[in-house]
Amino acid sequence: MLHKFFEEGDWFAAKAHGYGAGLPIAWQGWVLLFAYAGAMIGIGLLIPGGGYAGLVFGLTGMALASVAFTLIVRRRTKGGWKWRP
């Protein structure tokens, strides 16, 4: 089943107006979106109990997850990311 996740194709629709991606159009996009949301919630729950070091590691983890998510979404958006008036 994992090989289906790496098949070529678009996972997200382009926004009708503006720049970026809209909602997922394939199950892989929904899985990625929910995994990202779960990662943000999980990291957020770890931050309060870790003190300053926990805050730094938590924010770093959130930043890295956000960059990875954005790169994947950008690569898998139908029509690419461009300005649409």
Side-chain angles (χ1 to χ4, degrees):
M1 180 79 172
L2 188 58
H3 68 283
K4 290 279 190 188
F5 198 75
F6 296 106
E7 287 181 348
E8 286 299 317
D10 299 320
W11 296 354
F12 294 88
K15 289 177 73 172
H17 303 287
Y19 184 79
L23 289 174
I25 57 174
W27 68 268
Q28 294 98 328
W30 287 107
V31 169
L32 182 66
L33 181 63
F34 287 127
Y36 174 71
M40 292 296 108
I41 291 169
I43 293 170
L45 291 174
L46 294 175
I47 289 176
Y52 182 72
L55 179 65
V56 170
F57 286 123
L59 292 178
T60 302
M62 285 183 167
L64 291 174
S66 295
V67 167
F69 177 74
T70 302
L71 291 174
I72 294 170
V73 170
R74 185 177 182 148
R75 182 172 180 263
R76 295 295 190 146
T77 298
K78 184 176 186 176
W81 284 18
K82 59 184 175 184
W83 181 256
R84 292 174 175 86

